[in-house]
Amino acid sequence: MISVRVQEAAALRIDEIYRYSLERWGEARADAYIAGLFEAFEGIATGATVSRPIPAEFGVDGCVFRYERHFVYWKRLGDGDIGIVTVLHERMHRIGRLREELGE
């Protein structure tokens, strides 16, 4: 069975998203947003979440999908599991951030 593993950079981003959502819209909406995000993560393995390859100009291997206002970057790990690399807001400079968080 394929597992989904949230990597450190992604975990930090998810925490930021939760705190921002909590302050801006309250606990119920923050909880619902994060729950939906994790449902989308689980959908990668089943094909319910449609992803596309990361564009070549990013210079990194992996896939991306959009969840509401965020882009989720993920890759297959050596054991076949799915690694959630990072979650970036649509307004962020994604190429630079993605390279930073992948250490490239």
Side-chain angles (χ1 to χ4, degrees):
M1 185 167 153
I2 296 174
S3 293
V4 176
R5 298 194 311 229
V6 177
Q7 304 197 322
E8 186 175 351
L12 293 172
R13 295 279 181 216
I14 293 166
D15 287 347
E16 290 172 1
I17 292 165
Y18 183 81
R19 283 193 305 274
Y20 177 84
S21 299
L22 180 65
E23 291 172 11
R24 181 121 181 166
W25 295 292
E27 186 175 1
R29 282 189 62 188
D31 288 348
Y33 193 85
I34 297 303
L37 192 58
F38 274 86
E39 286 175 24
F41 294 168
E42 293 298 325
I44 296 168
T46 65
T49 299
V50 178
S51 299
R52 64 185 192 277
I54 295 173
E57 66 264 19
F58 282 62
V60 295
D61 291 326
C63 295
V64 61
F65 69 89
R66 187 178 182 124
Y67 177 78
E68 297 193 20
R69 299 275 187 190
H70 290 89
F71 289 93
V72 177
Y73 294 89
W74 64 273
K75 65 182 178 179
R76 288 272 177 201
L77 303 175
D79 60 3
D81 285 348
I82 294 164
I84 305 298
V85 176
T86 194
V87 181
L88 301 177
H89 192 273
E90 65 187 2
R91 290 192 204 150
M92 289 180 164
H93 184 263
R94 293 185 305 274
I95 294 173
R97 291 286 179 116
L98 188 58
R99 286 185 183 145
E100 281 175 23
E101 295 187 9
L102 289 175
E104 300 186 6

